[in-house]
Amino acid sequence: MAKVPAQLLALQQAFASHFQQAHNMAFQAPGRVNLIGEHTDYNDGFVLPCAINFYTWVLARPNEQQKIRVLALDYQQQDEFELRFPIEPHPVYSWANYVRGVANSLLQQGYALKGGDIAISGNVPKGAGLSSSASLEVALGLCFSHLSGFVLSGRDNALNGQHAENHFVGCHCGIMDQLICALGQQHQALLIDTRSLTSTAVTIPDGLVVLIINSNVQRGLVDSAYNERRQQCEAAAQKLGIRALRDISYLELQQQQYKLSALEAKRARHVVSENDRTEQAAKALQQGDIRLLSRLMAQSHQSMQQDFEITVPAIDCLVQLVSIVIGQQGGVRMTGGGFGGCVVALLPEALVADVTALVKREYPKRTGLVADIFLCEASQGATRL
Ligand code: GLA
C-alpha cells in the first residue's frame, strides 16, 4: 500500500480535532507543469501539460446543514458560508474565495449542493505558477459532487473551476490548468486541443525526467498583466476577422500583419508560432526526437521573452544555466503564466545532479535569489482516495 504523506496524516488529525469527528471522504488533485504551449489556451490553441506529484488534499464529511464549514490548515484559518446562490466573496481571505467560488459556480449551474465540513492542505508551491489554485478548485469540485451525491465528469469539473476563477476570483485564465489537474495521467503529458477539449496522451520517453525550478521571484500584479495579454490577443483576432488566434497560420499572419498594431503583431506571432511548436513537440516526444524537442522549447522561451514579453531576468538566467548543462540532450523553458514562477526542463536523469549544482552555485550570485528544485513525475489527475 502507498505510504500516506505526513501532511495528509496531519490534515486527518486536524479535521478530527477541529470538527470533533473523523472525516469520511478524502480527495486529492495534483498541481501541473506545462511542457510547452504557453498562453495558447485562451486562444483556442494547443497545450502540452502534465500533472505532477504535488497535491492539494481535501477531507470532508456531510454536516446535515445547508452550509459549508472549512478549515484551511496551511493558513490556520477558517470560513463558513451558506449554500444559497449567490454566495458573497469573502471580505479578507483569498483562499476562501476558491471554496466559495467553486460552490457558487456549481449552484449557478443548478447543481443541488449539500452541506459539509471540509479541511484543506497541500504541498503544491503557492504562487509559483504550478497551479495550486486549479488544483484546489478541482479537488473541491470533486469533494462537493461526492458530498452532494451527483456525478461531475473531469471535464465539467475543470470547466466549473475555470468559471469560478474567471467570475469569482477575477483571473481570466484559460482551461489548461483545471483540465490537466482533473484529467492528468501517470507517465503521460496530454496534448490538449483547448477548443474541442479533446486530448491525446503523449508518453514521456523512458530516461527523461521532469525537473521544475522555482525562481522564487516575487510576482506582483500577475493577474492584471495576464488579463492584459489576453485582451491584446482578442483584439488581434478581432482585427484579423477570425474567431481566435488558433484560426490563422503563421504565413497568413505575416501577410495580414498590417491590420495590427506593432504590439498586437508581436503578441499574435507568439501565439500562432507557439501553437505550431506545441503540436510539433508532442510528435517529437512521441518519436523520442529530443534534439527537436530541445530546439522547440528554446524557441518557445525566446518567443515568450521577446514577443509575448512575460519572462523576467531571473527566469531567463535559470533557462540559460540549465541549457549550458543539457545542450541538445533535453529542453528547458519558462512554464506557466509568466512574470516569475518556474522553469521546466525535460532532461536525462543523469544530468540532474550537474544542473542542480550549477543552479545552486550561479543563480544566487547572478540574481541574489535562491531557487527551489523539484524532480517530478507525470501523475494521475484528481481522485477520491
Ligand atoms: C495560467 C493560466 C492558464 C494558461 C497559462 C499560460 O496558468 O491559468 O490558463 O493561460 O497561464 O499558458
Side-chain angles (χ1 to χ4, degrees):
M1 228 174 71
K3 208 170 136 244
V4 179
Q7 199 173 344
L8 180 53
L9 283 174
L11 184 64
Q12 292 168 352
Q13 283 162 7
F15 186 104
S17 75
H18 186 77
F19 295 113
Q20 301 289 303
Q21 247 181 340
H23 70 282
N24 60 4
M25 299 177 188
F27 309 89
Q28 80 176 15
R32 70 94 187 89
V33 70
N34 189 20
L35 303 179
I36 193 164
E38 225 62 82
H39 287 261
T40 44
D41 61 351
Y42 55 80
N43 292 295
D44 283 3
F46 295 93
V47 291
L48 186 63
C50 63
I52 55 175
N53 50 327
F54 285 80
Y55 299 98
T56 302
W57 292 284
V58 173
L59 305 182
R61 182 179 190 101
N63 66 11
E64 313 303 334
Q65 302 175 46
Q66 260 315 89
K67 62 166 75 150
I68 297 291
R69 298 189 297 190
V70 204
L71 169 70
L73 188 61
D74 303 345
Y75 298 98
Q76 296 286 339
Q77 289 169 347
Q78 21 181 318
D79 184 27
E80 181 174 320
F81 58 91
E82 300 283 328
L83 285 170
R84 207 178 314 109
F85 181 79
I87 298 171
E88 293 296 316
H90 193 282
V92 185
Y93 301 155
S94 52
W95 65 264
N97 281 329
Y98 293 98
V99 190
R100 290 177 178 225
V102 169
N104 190 63
S105 291
L106 287 169
L107 288 174
Q108 193 171 351
Q109 290 174 76
Y111 288 106
L113 294 191
K114 295 195 180 143
D117 295 339
I118 64 184
I120 306 170
S121 181
N123 62 5
V124 184
K126 294 178 179 66
L130 299 176
S131 290
S132 56
S133 342
S135 163
L136 175 59
E137 289 154 10
V138 166
L140 286 166
L142 201 59
C143 171
F144 288 138
S145 71
H146 282 266
L147 270 177
S148 314
F150 60 85
V151 176
L152 191 64
S153 69
R155 179 181 176 276
D156 289 345
N157 189 6
L159 285 167
N160 185 72
Q162 183 200 19
H163 185 272
E165 182 116 7
N166 289 173
H167 301 285
F168 207 87
V169 178
C171 178
H172 299 150
C173 64
I175 189 64
M176 165 172 71
D177 304 345
Q178 291 80 5
L179 213 52
I180 189 69
C181 292
L183 299 178
Q185 294 175 27
Q186 207 164 15
H187 308 308
Q188 316 275 331
L190 289 190
L191 176 66
I192 302 174
D193 177 336
T194 63
R195 173 168 279 166
S196 64
L197 302 187
T198 51
S199 60
T200 315
V202 180
T203 306
I204 299 186
D206 274 349
L208 278 194
V209 295
V210 180
L211 194 71
I212 297 175
I213 309 179
N214 186 356
S215 65
N216 284 319
V217 169
Q218 282 299 322
R219 303 162 91 200
L221 298 175
V222 179
D223 284 0
S224 60
Y226 181 94
N227 292 345
E228 181 191 67
R229 293 299 183 287
R230 183 171 182 156
Q231 275 162 15
Q232 290 163 342
C233 291
E234 285 166 358
Q238 204 187 9
K239 289 188 186 169
L240 293 164
I242 51 179
R243 182 170 145 201
L245 289 177
R246 150 79 175 267
D247 298 308
I248 193 164
S249 71
Y250 195 76
L251 191 66
E252 288 164 340
L253 177 64
Q254 279 178 321
Q255 289 160 349
Q256 297 183 39
Q257 206 158 293
Y258 66 90
K259 295 179 180 168
L260 306 178
S261 71
L263 189 69
E264 286 161 355
K266 273 168 56 159
R267 304 296 190 245
R269 198 157 64 216
H270 163 73
V271 172
V272 174
S273 62
E274 184 79 351
N275 266 331
D276 288 346
R277 283 188 291 271
T278 305
E279 286 192 278
Q280 283 185 57
K283 283 201 196 109
L285 259 187
Q286 255 152 2
Q287 293 164 358
D289 187 345
I290 307 308
R291 286 170 144 242
L292 177 57
L293 182 76
S294 176
R295 211 162 51 233
L296 292 166
M297 288 178 78
Q299 287 167 357
S300 168
H301 186 80
Q302 199 182 29
S303 176
M304 291 190 288
Q305 183 188 31
Q306 293 171 7
D307 282 343
F308 221 60
E309 297 176 288
I310 53 171
T311 74
V312 293
I315 285 280
D316 296 336
C317 167
L318 279 177
V319 166
Q320 199 198 359
L321 291 172
V322 176
S323 58
I324 291 171
V325 178
I326 66 176
Q328 291 190 320
Q329 298 180 70
V332 58
R333 56 184 283 284
M334 185 195 82
T335 184
F339 312 100
C342 293
V343 309
V344 61
L346 269 175
L347 73 170
E349 192 157 15
L351 295 180
V352 169
D354 286 354
V355 167
T356 306
L358 187 67
V359 168
K360 284 201 168 147
R361 197 180 71 223
E362 286 299 317
Y363 184 65
K365 268 200 236 163
R366 297 188 190 189
T367 63
L369 296 165
V370 177
D372 292 317
I373 304 181
F374 310 108
L375 190 58
C376 293
E377 279 164 33
S379 302
Q380 194 62 37
T383 45
R384 181 170 181 180
L385 296 173

